[in-house]
Amino acid sequence: MTQLPAFEQLPAAQGVVSQKKALRAAGLVLVAGLLLTGLLGWNVWRNARMALEQQFALAANERIDRVRERLTLQQSELESVRRFFENSDDVSREEFEHFVSPLLGDTLGYAWLPRVEQHAREAFEERAHVDGMLDYLIHELDSQGRPVPAQVRERYFPVLYGASEYLQELPLGLDLNSTESGRELTQQVLTERQLVASIPVILPGAPPADAAGVLLAAPFYPRPALLGPTAETRAGLQGILLAAISYRLLIEQGMDADSLAQLALTLRDSADQRADVPLYRSAVLPVQAAELVAERHLDFAGRDYLIRIEPSADFLKRNQGDPQFWVVLGGTLTSLLLAGYVLTLLSQRQRALQLVAERTAELRANQLELQENQARLHFAMDSAGHGVWDWNVDLGKVFYSHAWKAMLGFRDGEIGTTTDECLRRIHPDDQTARCEALQRHLRGEAPLYQSEHRLRCKNGRWLWVLDRGQVMERAADGAPRRMIGTQTDISSRKAAELELGEVNNRLHGLLDAATQVAIVSTDLRGFVRSFNVGAERMFGYSAREVLGRPVPENVFVKDEIRRRAHDLSQALGREIRGFEVVGALVGEGHEEHEWTCLRRDGRQLKVNLIITGVRDSSGGLIGYLGIATDVTLRKEAELELRRLSVTDALTGVHNRRYFREQLELGMARCSRSGEPLSLVMFDIDHFKDINDRFGHEAGDTVLVTLCQRVAQRLRKVDVFCRLGGEELVVLCPGSSLEQAARLAEALCEALRSHSIEGIGVVTASFGIAGWVAGESADDLMRKVDRAVYRAKRLGRDRVERDEG
């Protein structure tokens, strides 16, 4: 008997929906859907239009506010220039250019136009020539734009100097009163005594694109004038500060091309009735069909500007979509789909039955494939040496794979299916940690279960294993029902870890035994990896405070770090910064350098630091090892020996050896720089008589006292030395012979005007000499000796110079 299709087996009482009714229902659905689609599309179009208007209003207001702010900024910047002039006695060209240079970003230029009366014109031009402007002339432009001498007027306002980043040549000498617009602007300044803007002008010398603009003028009075634009206050006007402003720079400077392409902007002077001649018009064309316009009046230094903004095609493209089209299209398609769904509803059951049969066949095929994959997985796990276990928590049964049993030395029949087969083989010392890790996972506190522990093998040997698993099935209350995991033999890795731990312990013991040497290792970023006992004693930090953290910033002196980084950057040809300063020169060997370090208690140390690189098995640099030795005492001893070797034991000033060294250095330095160099030498008058009358102790007192008085009157760069006996000398680098003479006179007067207790007034004979390029140190010393001898021969207590 042939089986009928599923829809033909339905009971006759239920019947089948006729095709006519199905079409009627589909038509009703389609009509209702189209009506709703039309209503929704109109609403979406209205909302989109409102959003476009709001977006345009926001963009237009933002652009207008930006123009207003830039107009206000131009006034503020010119006001600041005027205040600069008011607060200065006299402003030179260099001071003017230095002050206005930061303000030239969006201004064509600034200029100073002093007031020049007719009778003072010639003297004014002559002063300009003396100041270096040889071609300066008060002029005006003829009909061809060429400069010609300005006509005779009552007063002039010529450009004396200015600054600009856009004009190749400033119109120096051009009289503001030479044009009608300039005379009108001058009259406004004299009348209103405040910032005023000119009528739109073509700025001379400006690039063609920026030539259209306005002149912003500010009057400059040297002192507060009387109230009201009287003749007296107009007479007090000293000049006009002028700012040349391009409309294009004012509106477009600082804006990217994308922003400029969004809106079409037109700027007009409200006083100009010609609607077709704007002051500025954007390069982008407006779309007038959009019916979106924003207009605003802006006041700028007494002039009323009308700014008009309209959307461009790019703005409409970005902000005006056609959402209603997509709504109508989507609604129409949805209506058609619903109508089609009604038509196909009758055959849905048959399609479902066919789909069930297909899915059943697919499930059977997937089941067979899954069984094959499981077999392959077990084979792969066994081959890789991973033991698999499958724990059914409800039944308390565990499946142990063949590899798991073989790993412990058992055959398949020697291991059961209880949990005790694994638990009773775990080492007693590992039971607690393994149980805690398992319970954390079973409670859902850890995503995976993982434990490293020991299992006893069949032969009694302990085997380290990595045990991992995961709950695959839970009950409705969250209780685990099934868990699957693996166990891997990690005995070899554990043995290597134990051996490595022993080596590290021995190494740390050796490092800590070196208590007199600081040994520190870091990674490439400067994070401390080891810090021995010697380092703790040397720097005052405990290992616990610094391990795993960057080397403390205050260990090294910051000035030394900066100087070292600068020297290394110049030597290596690349920027050296951060912790790289310490090991930049390590390379394949080591680097040795002396540093000034700070202990935790603030005490300074001088350490000799040897840095070597720490490398991995492939030779790559992974860190640094530093060995620091405290050389503070040795450095202090060296400095003390150096001080004693160059210091006179009696007076405390420098000795002859130090003087010779500094004289040679000073001559070499002055030879390179061209600076002068002078010597002041003096002998104490009648010093032998002092020793004979008062004793040698009194003579020593005289030497010490005179050296103290002289040292108080010298500069830090001067070198004061005792050559021997009562002979002393002062090396004066950078001092001419005249300056040295004034110093010698001051010292001579200081000795003459103060007496020494128990001895009286002690004077000295001074000689001075200046070094001439090409002379040797001996030549200079012979010259100053001659001058001292002349002072003694001419009566002592005087200053003589040798100009030979």
Side-chain angles (χ1 to χ4, degrees), residues 767-778:
I768 59 173
W771 177 72
V772 179
E775 284 185 341
S776 66
D778 292 336

Side-chain angles (χ1 to χ4, degrees), residues 394-427:
D394 292 340
L395 300 177
K397 300 292 184 180
V398 183
F399 164 76
Y400 298 104
S401 69
H402 173 78
W404 189 91
K405 300 171 185 176
M407 183 173 59
L408 301 179
F410 293 96
R411 292 191 294 271
D412 287 341
E414 295 177 336
I415 295 293
T417 60
T418 64
T419 56
D420 189 57
E421 293 289 351
C422 179
L423 292 177
R424 62 188 178 87
R425 291 179 169 80
I426 299 176
H427 195 284

Side-chain angles (χ1 to χ4, degrees), residues 13 85 89 96 115 129 137 199 214 327 334 412 471 476 584 636 641 678 744 761 774 789 804:
F85 268 71
D89 295 333
F96 179 83
R115 173 179 173 177
H129 297 164
L137 177 68
I199 62 175
V214 63
V327 170
T334 302
D412 287 341
V471 174
E636 291 176 352
L641 288 175
S678 299
V761 176
Y789 178 75

Side-chain angles (χ1 to χ4, degrees), residues 557-661:
V557 177
K558 291 183 173 56
D559 289 341
E560 279 195 8
I561 289 290
R562 283 193 291 268
R563 289 195 301 270
R564 182 67 171 169
H566 178 266
D567 295 341
L568 290 175
S569 298
Q570 288 188 333
L572 300 178
R574 60 184 178 87
E575 185 178 4
I576 302 297
R577 57 184 178 182
F579 190 71
E580 192 181 2
V581 174
V582 178
L585 300 178
V586 169
E588 296 297 330
H590 68 276
E591 177 187 358
E592 184 173 356
H593 188 71
E594 287 189 357
W595 296 90
T596 302
C597 295
L598 298 176
R599 283 177 48 86
R600 187 174 186 173
D601 57 10
R603 185 163 60 88
Q604 283 193 354
L605 299 174
K606 275 290 186 179
V607 299
N608 183 60
L609 181 60
I610 301 176
I611 300 293
T612 57
V614 179
R615 303 182 181 276
D616 56 17
S617 57
S618 61
L621 187 66
I622 60 174
Y624 302 105
L625 177 66
I627 301 176
T629 306
D630 187 356
V631 295
T632 305
L633 296 178
R634 177 169 62 83
K635 282 294 181 180
E636 291 176 352
E638 291 176 357
L639 291 175
E640 181 63 18
L641 288 175
R642 169 62 180 170
R643 187 188 67 80
L644 293 175
S645 68
V646 297
T647 304
D648 180 62
L650 174 61
T651 61
V653 300
H654 296 298
N655 59 15
R656 175 185 291 272
R657 175 185 174 185
Y658 186 78
F659 170 74
R660 296 294 294 189
E661 291 178 358

Side-chain angles (χ1 to χ4, degrees), residues 450-482:
Q450 181 169 311
S451 172
E452 292 184 2
H453 53 264
R454 288 162 286 183
L455 291 179
R456 188 175 63 251
C457 299
K458 183 178 180 180
N459 59 7
R461 182 174 62 88
W462 291 104
L463 183 72
W464 276 99
V465 297
L466 172 61
D467 195 7
R468 290 176 291 188
Q470 187 176 22
V471 174
M472 307 303 296
E473 184 180 350
R474 291 184 181 270
D477 60 354
R481 299 187 61 187
R482 186 185 179 192

Side-chain angles (χ1 to χ4, degrees), residues 11 81 94 99 189 282 290 306 332 389 460 520 547 623 662 683 686 698 711 766:
V81 178
E94 291 76 15
F99 183 84
V189 171
S282 300
L306 177 64
T332 302
W389 50 268
V520 182
L547 285 178
Q662 294 301 311
D683 275 1
H686 308 295
F766 287 80

